[in-house]
Amino acid sequence: MTEELFRELLKRPENETLDFKLEMYAFEADGRVSLLKDVISLANTPRSASAYLVFGVDWKPGSPALPKGMSAQIDDVRLRDQLSGDQISPVPPAISYHPLLIGGQHFGVIEVPPEPNVGPFYATKDSSGNKLLKDVLYVRSGSGNVRANLEQQRK
């Protein structure tokens, strides 16, 4: 991940392959569920290029993305621990985390490359509050994560 690609991502609105987050997920309870749902949804969305979760950026519909920076950087190992086989099946093998330091600010990017020969990807258990359900196919639709309808499931 280069600074140039990061700046290109900032010029785009959120969509099926791009999601902005102001801070990295808290890896406890709801934060972990949000991470899993975002990764599963991006990994299941049909595409020919990588999808991205970009951290340290404030974005609202109709406004440009504003790079604000994260309060702290994370270790790639800690992120991978959250995406284990006891949470996602199968585990998307090529996901990578890119820490960036730009203008003294910390940013992070989770890259989810297309993996047409692996998946679809599912949660292995229901989350508390049923925000993420076992064996339900999630995809991106516009700038949100949704349960796949029949047409989306066929794709």
Side-chain angles (χ1 to χ4, degrees):
M1 168 69 53
T2 64
E3 183 175 340
E4 182 180 348
L5 177 55
F6 177 79
R7 297 214 180 272
E8 286 300 314
L9 293 173
L10 293 178
K11 295 176 184 176
R12 297 172 32 195
E14 278 193 359
N15 58 31
E16 287 85 3
T17 62
L18 179 62
D19 195 0
F20 293 112
K21 306 288 182 190
L22 190 53
E23 285 291 337
M24 177 54 72
Y25 304 96
F27 292 140
E28 296 77 33
D30 284 348
R32 185 176 198 189
V33 170
S34 294
L35 166 67
L36 293 169
K37 191 170 187 179
D38 284 343
V39 168
I40 288 169
S41 298
L42 286 170
N44 284 335
T45 299
R47 60 209 150 71
S48 58
S50 287
Y52 301 96
L53 286 162
V54 181
F55 300 91
V57 176
D58 190 15
W59 181 83
K60 294 181 179 38
S63 299
L66 298 173
K68 301 267 188 169
M70 297 187 301
S71 57
Q73 197 57 264
I74 65 157
D75 186 338
D76 179 64
V77 172
R78 187 158 183 240
L79 176 68
R80 289 189 183 284
D81 286 346
Q82 306 304 309
L83 303 173
S84 65
D86 67 331
Q87 299 294 322
I88 299 175
S89 181
V91 175
I95 288 177
S96 57
Y97 178 71
H98 307 281
L100 299 168
L101 183 62
I102 300 172
Q105 295 180 306
H106 291 282
F107 299 93
V109 179
I110 296 175
E111 182 176 1
V112 184
E115 300 187 66
N117 299 320
V118 184
F121 306 95
Y122 295 94
T124 57
K125 52 189 157 191
D126 295 337
S127 68
S128 62
N130 293 325
K131 294 179 182 179
L132 182 63
L133 300 173
K134 175 183 177 180
D135 298 328
V136 171
L137 183 65
Y138 291 95
V139 296
R140 293 279 293 177
S141 180
S143 63
N145 302 324
V146 298
R147 287 183 181 189
N149 61 34
L150 290 176
E151 181 180 334
Q152 291 165 322
Q153 288 178 34
R154 280 191 293 273
K155 289 181 183 176

